[in-house]
Structures are given as C-alpha cells and as structure tokens.
Amino acid sequence: MEKVAIIDLGSNSVRLMLVGISSDGSYKLIDEAKEGVRLSENMGPELTLKPAAIVRTIEALRLFQHLYRAHGITQIIAVATAAVRLASNQREFLQQVKDATGLEFRVLSGQEEAQAAYMGVVNTIDASDGLIIDIGGGSTELIQLKDRRVVAATSLPFGSVTLTESFLDKVKPTEEQVKTLEGFLREHFSSVEWLRDMNNPTIFGLGGTIRNLSKIDRKRKKYSLDITHNYRMSGKDVLDIYRLVRTANLEQRKKIPGLSKDRADIIIAGLAVVSGLVNYTQSQELAVSGSGLRDGLFYQYLLRNREVPFIDNLTQHSVENLMRYYNLELDHPRHVAKLTLSMFDQLQSLHELGPAERKILEVASLLHDVGILVNFYDHHKHSFYLITNSRINGLTHREILVAAYVAMSHSKPLQANILPHRDILNEDDGKTIKILGVILRIAEALERSEAGVIQDIRCHQYVDNVHLVALARHSAELEICDAFKGAADFKKVFGRNLFISAQNL
Amino acid sequence: MEKVAIIDLGSNSVRLMLVGISSDGSYKLIDEAKEGVRLSENMGPELTLKPAAIVRTIEALRLFQHLYRAHGITQIIAVATAAVRLASNQREFLQQVKDATGLEFRVLSGQEEAQAAYMGVVNTIDASDGLIIDIGGGSTELIQLKDRRVVAATSLPFGSVTLTESFLDKVKPTEEQVKTLEGFLREHFSSVEWLRDMNNPTIFGLGGTIRNLSKIDRKRKKYSLDITHNYRMSGKDVLDIYRLVRTANLEQRKKIPGLSKDRADIIIAGLAVVSGLVNYTQSQELAVSGSGLRDGLFYQYLLRNREVPFIDNLTQHSVENLMRYYNLELDHPRHVAKLTLSMFDQLQSLHELGPAERKILEVASLLHDVGILVNFYDHHKHSFYLITNSRINGLTHREILVAAYVAMSHSKPLQANILPHRDILNEDDGKTIKILGVILRIAEALERSEAGVIQDIRCHQYVDNVHLVALARHSAELEICDAFKGAADFKKVFGRNLFISAQNL
C-alpha cells in the first residue's frame, strides 16, 4: 500500500494527515495529528517568525516524523501557508526546518492555496457553481466556481487570527471596533472585481470557523444528524448567529451551545468574514465542507495523471471506495443493484420517480448488507448506522438518509420509522422510502443465494397486476419463493398484485 | 473456510443457520433462514404427522438446500425435536425426507435437546449456577446448572403450542381455563424431583416466548439498550407481565407494546410456563438468552474434540473472535491492553477497583479503535456503537456499556455523557468510566506509533505525584509527549500530578 503523509503548516497549527492508497486505487485515512504551534505569534509589523515559535514548530515536526516513519510512509507532501508566505525570514526558516528534520516545505502562493481548497470541495461535494471560501488564521481564499471549474480566485491577506489582532478586543469588542472591521471587510470584498458579479451564489465554506458555525446552527435546531460535511444552512441563519456573537464578551460566547471554547477568542472575526460575504453577495445558502486544504492536496496527488482534474461521478467513486474500505465482496451487491435498477426502470410509470431517486436506490442496493460488518443479527439496523456515518460524498444529507432507510428496510420495507429525522425528511420522502424499499426487498430476494442465478428481469404491467419474469441460469426456486414473500408489500405500495415466474435462459 | 449448516426441525418451524469457521478457529454467522411449516399441525391424539405438513416441510428443506449449496457448505447437522420425536409415523417421515432431499435427520431425545440448550447458554452467558429453561412449541426442557455443568435435566412433553391447544381458547381464554392450565403445570413441576430443591435460582430462559417477554419488559421500561441476549429482569416483572396477558383477549394482547403479533395466540401458555416456574422456585431473576438450540448444536460441533465441553474464558474467547471477525490488526490493541492493565495494576491503591473492572478495561483496550472500521472520523463514537452492538459474550449489559464508554472516551476521557443510559448505569459507573478512560488514554498514547516502542511501564507513587517510567526500546519522544497530554485529566481523576519519563531498555 502506498502511504502519503500530508503536512500543512499554518499560522496557528501544524497538521499531519496520513492516507493509504491501495493497488486497486481505493484510499483511506490512516491517522491524523495536530499540534498548536502558533507559528505566527508575535510576528509583529516586521513580519518575522520568532525563535520560540520556530522551536515549537520544529519540535512538532519531529514528533510527526516518528509517527509517519512508524507507518512506513512512501510519499511526503509538506506545504506552508500564510504565516510562512508572508514571513520576511522565510528562507532562513525553511533552511532551519530542513536542517533539523530533512523536510522541504513548499510555500503555497495564495492562488495555490485557493486551488487546493477548490480541490477539497469539488471532489467531496456535488458543487457545480458558486463561491468557495476558505477562512484560515492568516488568509482567506475566495474562489468562483462554474461548471465545477475555477474561473477566478483571490487570496485576501487576512484571516480570523490576524483580523482579531488588528481590530478587536479579544475579551469584549466594542460596537465601534466591530463596525470598523465590517467596513474594512466590505472594502476588501468590493476590491475583488469578479466578486461584484456574484449574485446569490451558493457559498461552499471551509475551515474551522465555518465548521464551528455549522455546529452552533445544528445545536440551535437540534438537527437530527451528527454530520458536518455538506451541512446546509440559510444565509439568514448565518446572519442570525453572527448577530448573537457579534459583541458578546468572551464568557458569554463560551456559553453559546456548540461554540468551541478554543475558538471563542477569534470567532467574531471569523464570522464577520462569513456574514460579510453572505451580505455582500446576497447569498441564500451556505454549504459546509468538512474537507479542506489537506484533502485538496491529497486529491491533487491522487488525480495528478488525469486529464480532468476532478472526480467525475462523485457518488459512484465514493461508494466504490467505501465498498473497498469495508472489504466487501463486490459481486453480490453489484448484482442486486443491477436487478434493482432494472426493476426501477421498468416500473417507472408506476412509481414516477426520477434520476435522483434512482441514484439513491443504487447506493442503497450496493450498501444494503454493509451492516453485516457489525453483526449479522439486526444487520439492517447496522446498515443504517454505517450509511449515515460513512460520509458518502456527492449526496445531500436528505439523500444519505433516504438511502440509509431504504437499505435498512430491505427486509421489512414498510416499517421504517422516519420520525426521528422529520427535520430533514418529509412525507414524500417517506413514500419514496417505501417504494424503493419494496423494489430492493424483491430484487435482493432474487439474488438470495448470492450466486447470480437470476440474470435479469422483465416486468409486464397489466391493469391490476404486474408479472415479473425472472431470467434464470438454472433452478431459481429459492429466489422466486423468497421474492414472492414481498408481494403483499408490493401490493400495498403499488396497488397491484405481483406475480413472479422464472424463465430459463 | 469450513462451513456448517445447522437445520432444526421443530413443531412450528424449520430453521437453518449457516456458520463459517476459519482456519484460525474464529467463526461467524453467514446466513439464516426460517420457514413456518407447522409440522405438528393436526397431529391429533394418534400423533401422526399429516401429509400436507410433510409436503410443506420437504418444500422448505429443498429451498434451504439451494441456499446452503450455493454457500458451498462442508458439514450438515440436521436435527428434529418434539414433533418428530413424538410422531408415531416418525420412521416413514424420516425416510420420505431422506428420499426427497438426501438429508438424514437425527431425532433428539428430550435429554439431548436439553443438553443442546445448555450448550447454547453456557457458551454465551456467564452462567454458573441456576435453572435453564427452554420453552418450545411441543416440549419444555429444564436443566439444573451447577459450576457451569449439568447436574440434572428433564424434558416435559408440552410447550406453548400444545398447551394452548389442550387448555385455552385462542381468542379469549376464561379464568377457569387458565387456572386449570396453571394447576396442570404446577403438578408437572412438582413431579420433577430435583426441581423441588431449587430455591431462588437465576433462571436462564431460551426460546421465542422468553425473547418476546424480554421485549415487552424493555418496552415497558423504555430500556436504553436494544439487546436481548443476557437481558435481566426480576421475577416480579415476569409475574406482572403474565398478569397483564393472562386473560386478555387476542385483540387486547396484540396491542401490548412489544408483544409479537405472530405469537399473540400462544403467548399466554408460554408465559404460564415461565411464571409458573418463577413462582414454583421463588426465582428473583430471569436472564434472557438469545442463543438457543442451534447455537448449542454449533458449540457441540466446535468443541467436539475438547475435554471440557464448554469455553473456559467466555469474554476473552468472544473478544478474540470479534477481533478476527472485524479483521483487526491484533498486535497494536494487544500491546495497548498490556500497557493499560500494567498501569491499572500498579495504580490499584489509587483507584481501588477490582477484577471486574479490570476485565472491562481489557475489553475496552482491545476494542478501543474498532470504530475505525466505520470511519476514521469520529471513530471513538463508532467504537461505542460497535461494542454495544456486537454481542460480547460473558459481559452483562452494564459491563458492555462501561466498556463502550471507556473505549469511546480514549481520546477525551472526562467527557462521556452517560445520561442516555442512566437506567443501566449509576454514578459509580460514571466514576469508573473516568478512571478507566484516563488509564486507557495514557496507555494508548504510549503506543502512539503502533510499533511497540514502549515495552512496559513502571509507576512510582508519591504523596502528590505519580512518576510513570516508560521502558522504551528506542526514542519515544512522540509517545511521551502524547501521553503527557493526558496529565491534566489524570490529575482531575487521581488528584496527583503525573510525570512521565522514558528509560531505554
């Protein structure tokens, strides 16, 4: 297995991410580490990295070395961002690091940092058009996204840490201080020419400020899923929460549910940037990305030999990767998916669902048995847990939940209780789950002995009946009997009797 | 992989269980199937199996054949219980089955059935002394357990189905009918000589009646874990629930939360047996076994060449089996467990916990990282899910929960929120979780690079301080630094400062 270490040296902390890439192309996170070295501390107007901060950084890198060497790393990607980029003693610092650790850091330009942020988003969220923002400690990247590609990018030379230092009292900022900061930000935003043309873009937000913002919002709303990545909130929610913290003192801020205590001192400046951009662009929606710079660097590495710089079919890619991560036997779920989709397509006039539901059904089919990894008993329940917790990229939270319910209901399609997630799912979703659940229930039965006995199916529709012909390689008694047990549920959902017969190929 | 098919032909249904046994001795359930063939239907006083029932049974067995053949089974264990045992046309029936399917069924005697039930319990529950009862459709097995061995066993020739048929109106039994049944049972119990000497035994209960009883009780109490196996309820709970259903009519019974609709017609007779035994023996505790006859037959097969007929250290056996099921790398968790237990033992005078907690800590150490199987992100949370859902034999529900919390809190030992399970855990458990969590937190850090750098530890206690000396094979900077991050939590829990140093071996 190829093992890649990605080291990201920022203003506040240095982070390590270890990723393994198997020979089949699948990849997984192996380990992570973080040390808060505060490299930019006391840089002062002369912008020099100070000896104490340098010592802390080198110490941390030496610890990381122990870790990635123990893992037998084959590739190291080490980058430095704003603090080092701006430092007047950059060259000396890099030499010192190299002498002490052997590590050669690449200093990312603002444009390169923006590019990496873009790669982290576009390869993990179904993002086509909009504005990507990455708020760091010492810089803020803005990227205009169109048809999944970068059309413009700007790096602003300030972030949550430096803005706090320049404008705000950390304990209790005054109204005037905050207003000055807001004015400063507006001015900078309006100096970015391409940003002026953006009107109500979806904002894709990266970085600790925005992850924390999403947590505050989820707490407020008692959101029923514990997932950050691709969480969506309205522009109004962003502004509401900003108003809440805007001039609160440190103790008050620390008491806001979900607000990270480590971030309480710099959260005002960070949120001023987000809400400033929401206001400036009149954005109605913020999508939170759990993937950031390091993920982007990883995807740059993974896709380095591809012509198109991003993954084409995110969901398919993500599910395939998951199936390999889970070490699943691939033939059976793929065959179930084939039969399920064939049935879905042939019954389209009955259920009238579209391509979005088809995609969900495919995911549910491929992962319906994944819960067996936890325990054979109650594995439908465990499939639900795994699907909602394994971060399938390219799906919304609603779609992930529907897929999880469909997978869970493959044994008892009409018993899903969606009430615990009624904040995300509506009645129509409940109906969709029943329809897709029944189809999966029957298709899975047609592959009961997991040996590909039924090659394909033909559905013939009549006024009161549906006749399903299973095209079988040989005797399919078991499959037909088991599938027929789903006929009562089929009748309840589709209002037609289901007949099943086998036809030998 | 060796694959064993176990077929169990009862009065009501025929069941198939497929188990795989790896070359390393670990085993796992591969598939299950059940067909409700009602073999004993209309047997009448002449006790003959009727043609229609025989046809249904043979049909079901043929379906099973497709399934286990597709799985490439290497061994078949097929047994028949009460219905066939009692049938006057037993020999003809067995011949018919053999002609149609090739399957040769072994007809279990009452004693053999009791023995198999015993094997299912003693190898999955930490049961030393008590009364095992297995209530089937057509027979009831009673086994006296002492020092984990059978000292007496009796098979009574009636079960929930036959008692219902003989005594009760299925829809609305009268007070008199129920009283007659209760008298009949008392008489039979008092005819079992060895049963008279049992006074307040723990009852280990098997079979659908008792599993359903436990579900009703869990619903009533809003029990916070969804686990049947080794669920404990008081004798009083058993009697309360029996009173609830005793003379309720069918519709009323179906409305009782948790009561299985398929079982509503025979539940009164089944519960009459359990509550009759609770009354007769003055038992204060019922332990519910999710393992039954088929599991027992499997363990008989698995342990066939062993001198002692049961597994010696249940928890260890079960966790080892789980680790293999999960395909875990074994060295790292074992090394963490070694360091954790060494620290636990050396700090005994500080925490004053005993062998029960030591066992829990070992389980938590071995499985602390198991959540990575689901997702690296939030894996501590997933470890909690896996540990509570993977059925670790030999632990009580309380112990499983404590182990899960300790494993979950290995990164942040003092943040476990036990409130959702306050029906099972008390304040002392909360303290135990913190103590064990801190120990695991530090010991895991000492194995941070997963390479066995720290061989063992020595703890020196002083009035205000504990000095931990890590015996290292080579440079252990990373481990010491990471372990030291746990010092603040150590201080909170043990009231002493923690110093850590390395000593090269």
Side-chain angles (χ1 to χ4, degrees):
Chain A
M1 187 189 278
E2 189 182 358
K3 289 185 182 173
V4 185
I6 293 166
I7 304 173
D8 156 21
L9 177 53
S11 310
N12 241 329
S13 57
V14 53
R15 288 162 181 270
L16 170 70
M17 174 167 112
L18 298 182
V19 189
I21 307 177
S22 299
S23 52
D24 61 14
S26 68
Y27 50 90
K28 62 176 179 184
L29 185 57
I30 295 174
D31 207 340
E32 277 192 324
K34 174 188 175 184
E35 294 287 336
V37 295
R38 286 162 292 139
L39 178 59
S40 67
E41 196 174 62
N42 300 324
M43 278 180 84
E46 76 283 14
L47 290 175
T48 54
L49 302 169
K50 293 297 179 295
I54 293 175
V55 167
R56 287 196 299 267
T57 302
I58 288 174
E59 279 303 309
L61 291 173
R62 285 166 49 83
L63 294 181
F64 286 180
Q65 277 192 311
H66 286 290
L67 191 57
Y68 63 70
R69 281 186 184 154
H71 277 290
I73 224 68
T74 51
Q75 176 78 26
I76 297 175
I77 297 167
V79 304
T81 53
V84 180
R85 179 160 70 230
L86 300 174
S88 55
N89 57 342
Q90 181 192 104
R91 190 182 303 207
E92 298 86 320
F93 169 73
L94 292 176
Q95 190 60 49
Q96 254 182 294
V97 167
K98 191 179 170 191
D99 292 345
T101 67
L103 284 168
E104 299 198 48
F105 274 83
R106 181 158 66 96
V107 180
L108 296 184
S109 69
Q111 288 291 323
E112 287 172 328
E113 198 174 339
Q115 181 68 23
Y118 154 76
M119 285 295 280
V121 170
V122 80
N123 288 301
T124 60
I125 295 185
D126 190 10
S128 169
D129 302 275
L131 171 65
I132 300 175
I133 66 176
D134 185 358
I135 304 173
S139 73
T140 297
E141 278 65 45
L142 305 178
I143 300 109
Q144 185 180 9
L145 186 70
K146 196 160 185 187
D147 292 332
R148 302 192 72 196
R149 291 178 187 263
V150 177
V151 289
T154 299
S155 177
L156 300 173
F158 50 74
S160 52
V161 174
T162 54
L163 287 172
T164 304
E165 284 175 359
S166 309
F167 289 91
L168 305 177
D169 184 301
K170 277 193 187 181
V171 176
K172 170 67 183 149
T174 64
E175 176 71 28
E176 207 187 309
Q177 288 174 345
V178 176
K179 281 215 161 132
T180 310
L181 167 61
E182 289 166 350
F184 170 86
L185 290 172
R186 254 195 315 276
E187 210 169 289
H188 268 276
F189 296 154
S190 59
S191 75
V192 180
E193 208 160 315
W194 58 265
L195 194 60
R196 287 180 214 154
D197 304 329
M198 299 212 86
N199 183 29
N200 181 19
T202 297
I203 296 181
F204 300 93
L206 286 71
T209 296
I210 286 169
R211 286 198 302 274
N212 201 189
L213 170 65
S214 91
K215 189 163 182 191
I216 297 168
D217 196 48
R218 283 180 286 140
K219 287 268 178 193
R220 268 180 2 138
K221 295 177 177 160
K222 299 190 196 307
Y223 191 66
S224 66
L225 274 183
D226 188 17
I227 311 180
T228 303
H229 189 63
N230 211 5
Y231 176 72
R232 306 272 169 150
M233 54 195 287
S234 71
K236 184 176 170 303
D237 290 328
V238 176
L239 301 180
D240 283 351
I241 290 172
Y242 177 56
R243 251 192 302 276
L244 206 67
V245 303
R246 196 168 163 279
T247 54
N249 69 38
L250 192 61
E251 281 317 301
Q252 289 167 331
R253 275 176 265 152
K254 281 186 178 170
K255 280 179 194 147
I256 294 173
L259 198 148
S260 156
K261 287 180 184 44
D262 298 345
R263 191 170 283 279
D265 54 341
I266 55 169
I267 191 79
I268 297 179
L271 289 184
V273 178
V274 195
S275 63
L277 281 164
V278 165
N279 264 328
Y280 186 79
T281 62
Q282 297 287 307
S283 168
Q284 304 293 315
E285 184 177 49
L286 172 69
V288 179
S289 173
S291 300
L293 180 70
R294 289 179 300 289
D295 304 87
L297 292 167
F298 170 72
Y299 283 111
Q300 282 179 340
Y301 178 76
L302 184 76
L303 306 173
R304 64 195 179 283
N305 297 324
R306 290 220 203 160
E307 216 162 288
V308 182
F310 49 78
I311 294 158
D312 193 37
N313 186 330
L314 267 193
T315 306
Q316 191 189 329
H317 174 92
S318 181
V319 171
E320 294 263 331
N321 197 56
L322 261 184
M323 291 173 78
R324 293 213 160 88
Y325 179 68
Y326 289 150
N327 220 346
L328 297 186
E329 191 279 319
L330 301 176
D331 290 344
H332 169 63
R334 281 183 183 156
H335 198 71
V336 170
K338 176 188 160 183
L339 297 178
T340 308
L341 295 179
S342 172
M343 196 164 155
F344 178 89
D345 293 340
Q346 294 181 61
L347 297 180
Q348 211 282 330
S349 64
L350 273 187
H351 56 66
E352 297 183 329
L353 298 173
E357 287 81 10
R358 192 179 193 276
K359 181 168 83 166
I360 293 172
L361 180 59
E362 183 171 14
V363 172
S365 304
L366 289 170
L367 297 176
H368 72 280
D369 264 349
V370 70
I372 291 177
L373 286 181
V374 177
N375 196 336
F376 187 89
Y377 292 112
D378 293 328
H379 68 263
H380 58 288
K381 198 179 84 180
H382 307 316
S383 291
F384 183 90
Y385 183 85
L386 285 168
I387 291 173
T388 51
N389 281 287
S390 55
R391 190 165 151 170
I392 299 166
N393 293 325
L395 295 183
T396 65
H397 289 193
R398 197 195 121 262
E399 290 172 326
I400 288 173
L401 266 179
V402 173
Y405 273 113
V406 172
M408 177 166 77
S409 61
H410 77 262
S411 54
K412 293 171 181 172
L414 305 188
Q415 295 189 8
N417 172 20
I418 64 169
L419 282 181
H421 296 287
R422 62 177 168 266
D423 55 336
I424 302 172
L425 301 179
N426 60 33
E427 254 181 58
D428 279 348
D429 295 321
K431 275 183 216 159
T432 302
I433 288 166
K434 285 184 179 161
I435 291 168
L436 301 183
V438 165
I439 293 176
L440 177 56
R441 160 75 184 84
I442 291 167
E444 200 227 2
L446 291 174
E447 170 60 1
R448 181 70 182 88
S449 59
E450 308 191 4
V453 173
I454 311 280
Q455 287 283 295
D456 202 349
I457 52 178
R458 296 282 171 270
C459 296
H460 304 286
Q461 293 179 39
Y462 305 95
V463 181
D464 297 322
N465 307 319
V466 168
H467 181 197
L468 190 158
V469 180
L471 308 177
R473 284 194 297 134
H474 51 75
S475 163
E477 263 184 276
L478 173 68
E479 282 71 19
I480 304 290
C481 273
D482 198 25
F484 195 68
K485 288 180 185 165
D489 285 340
F490 185 92
K491 168 101 189 190
K492 278 183 202 152
V493 168
F494 293 109
R496 308 211 180 177
N497 302 305
L498 178 69
F499 296 97
I500 307 177
S501 61
Q503 182 183 313
N504 280 341
L505 284 173
Chain B
M1 187 189 278
E2 190 181 358
K3 289 185 183 174
V4 185
I6 293 166
I7 304 173
D8 156 22
L9 177 53
S11 309
N12 242 328
S13 57
V14 53
R15 287 163 182 270
L16 170 70
M17 173 167 112
L18 298 182
V19 189
I21 308 177
S22 299
S23 52
D24 61 14
S26 68
Y27 50 90
K28 63 177 180 184
L29 185 57
I30 295 173
D31 208 341
E32 278 192 323
K34 174 189 175 184
E35 294 287 336
V37 295
R38 286 161 293 139
L39 178 59
S40 67
E41 195 174 63
N42 300 325
M43 278 180 83
E46 76 284 14
L47 291 174
T48 53
L49 301 169
K50 293 298 180 293
I54 294 175
V55 167
R56 286 196 299 266
T57 302
I58 288 174
E59 279 303 310
L61 292 172
R62 285 167 48 84
L63 293 182
F64 286 0
Q65 277 192 311
H66 286 290
L67 192 57
Y68 64 70
R69 281 186 184 155
H71 277 290
I73 224 69
T74 51
Q75 176 78 25
I76 297 175
I77 298 166
V79 303
T81 54
V84 181
R85 180 161 70 231
L86 300 173
S88 55
N89 57 342
Q90 181 192 104
R91 190 182 304 208
E92 298 87 320
F93 169 73
L94 292 176
Q95 190 60 49
Q96 254 182 294
V97 167
K98 191 179 170 190
D99 292 345
T101 67
L103 285 168
E104 299 199 48
F105 273 82
R106 181 158 66 96
V107 180
L108 296 184
S109 70
Q111 288 290 323
E112 288 171 327
E113 198 174 340
Q115 181 67 25
Y118 154 77
M119 285 295 280
V121 169
V122 80
N123 288 301
T124 60
I125 295 185
D126 190 10
S128 168
D129 302 276
L131 172 64
I132 300 175
I133 66 176
D134 185 359
I135 304 173
S139 73
T140 297
E141 278 65 45
L142 306 178
I143 300 110
Q144 185 180 10
L145 186 69
K146 197 161 184 186
D147 292 332
R148 303 192 71 196
R149 290 177 187 264
V150 177
V151 289
T154 299
S155 177
L156 301 172
F158 50 75
S160 52
V161 174
T162 54
L163 288 172
T164 304
E165 283 175 359
S166 310
F167 289 91
L168 305 177
D169 184 302
K170 277 192 187 182
V171 176
K172 170 68 183 149
T174 64
E175 177 70 29
E176 207 188 309
Q177 288 174 344
V178 175
K179 281 215 161 132
T180 311
L181 167 61
E182 289 166 350
F184 170 86
L185 290 172
R186 254 195 315 277
E187 210 170 289
H188 268 275
F189 296 153
S190 59
S191 74
V192 179
E193 208 160 316
W194 59 265
L195 194 60
R196 287 180 214 155
D197 304 329
M198 299 212 87
N199 182 29
N200 181 19
T202 297
I203 296 182
F204 300 93
L206 285 70
T209 296
I210 286 169
R211 286 198 301 274
N212 200 189
L213 170 65
S214 92
K215 188 162 184 192
I216 297 169
D217 196 48
R218 283 181 285 139
K219 287 267 179 194
R220 267 180 3 139
K221 295 177 177 159
K222 299 190 195 308
Y223 192 66
S224 65
L225 275 182
D226 188 18
I227 311 181
T228 303
H229 189 63
N230 211 6
Y231 177 71
R232 306 271 169 150
M233 53 194 288
S234 70
K236 184 175 171 302
D237 290 329
V238 176
L239 301 180
D240 283 351
I241 291 172
Y242 177 56
R243 251 192 303 276
L244 206 68
V245 302
R246 197 168 163 277
T247 54
N249 69 38
L250 192 60
E251 281 317 301
Q252 290 166 330
R253 276 176 265 151
K254 282 185 178 169
K255 280 179 194 146
I256 294 173
L259 199 148
S260 156
K261 288 181 183 44
D262 298 345
R263 191 170 283 279
D265 54 340
I266 55 170
I267 191 79
I268 297 178
L271 289 185
V273 178
V274 195
S275 63
L277 282 164
V278 165
N279 264 328
Y280 186 78
T281 62
Q282 297 287 306
S283 168
Q284 303 293 314
E285 184 177 49
L286 172 69
V288 178
S289 173
S291 299
L293 180 70
R294 289 179 300 289
D295 304 87
L297 292 167
F298 169 72
Y299 283 111
Q300 282 180 340
Y301 177 76
L302 184 75
L303 306 173
R304 64 195 179 284
N305 296 325
R306 290 220 204 160
E307 216 161 288
V308 182
F310 49 79
I311 294 158
D312 192 36
N313 185 331
L314 267 193
T315 306
Q316 191 189 329
H317 175 92
S318 181
V319 171
E320 294 264 331
N321 197 56
L322 261 184
M323 291 173 78
R324 293 213 160 85
Y325 179 68
Y326 289 150
N327 220 346
L328 297 186
E329 190 279 319
L330 300 176
D331 290 343
H332 169 63
R334 280 183 184 156
H335 197 71
V336 170
K338 176 188 160 184
L339 297 178
T340 309
L341 295 178
S342 172
M343 196 165 156
F344 178 90
D345 293 340
Q346 294 182 61
L347 297 180
Q348 210 283 329
S349 64
L350 273 187
H351 57 66
E352 298 183 328
L353 298 173
E357 287 81 10
R358 192 180 193 276
K359 181 169 84 167
I360 293 172
L361 180 59
E362 183 171 14
V363 172
S365 304
L366 289 170
L367 298 176
H368 73 280
D369 265 349
V370 70
I372 292 177
L373 286 181
V374 177
N375 196 336
F376 187 90
Y377 292 112
D378 294 328
H379 68 262
H380 58 288
K381 199 180 83 180
H382 307 316
S383 290
F384 183 90
Y385 183 86
L386 285 168
I387 291 173
T388 51
N389 281 288
S390 55
R391 189 165 152 170
I392 299 166
N393 293 325
L395 295 183
T396 65
H397 288 194
R398 197 195 122 264
E399 290 173 325
I400 288 173
L401 265 180
V402 174
Y405 273 112
V406 173
M408 177 166 77
S409 60
H410 77 263
S411 54
K412 293 171 181 172
L414 306 187
Q415 295 188 8
N417 172 20
I418 64 169
L419 282 180
H421 296 288
R422 62 177 168 264
D423 55 336
I424 302 172
L425 301 179
N426 60 33
E427 254 181 58
D428 279 348
D429 295 321
K431 276 183 214 158
T432 302
I433 289 166
K434 285 184 178 162
I435 292 169
L436 302 183
V438 166
I439 294 177
L440 176 57
R441 160 75 183 83
I442 292 167
E444 200 227 1
L446 291 173
E447 168 60 0
R448 181 70 182 87
S449 60
E450 308 191 4
V453 173
I454 311 280
Q455 287 283 294
D456 202 349
I457 53 178
R458 296 283 171 269
C459 296
H460 304 286
Q461 292 179 39
Y462 305 95
V463 181
D464 296 322
N465 307 320
V466 168
H467 181 197
L468 191 158
V469 181
L471 308 176
R473 285 194 297 135
H474 51 74
S475 164
E477 263 184 276
L478 173 68
E479 282 71 18
I480 305 290
C481 273
D482 198 24
F484 195 68
K485 288 180 186 164
D489 286 341
F490 185 91
K491 168 102 190 190
K492 279 183 202 151
V493 168
F494 292 109
R496 308 210 180 177
N497 302 305
L498 178 68
F499 296 97
I500 308 178
S501 61
Q503 182 183 313
N504 281 340
L505 284 172

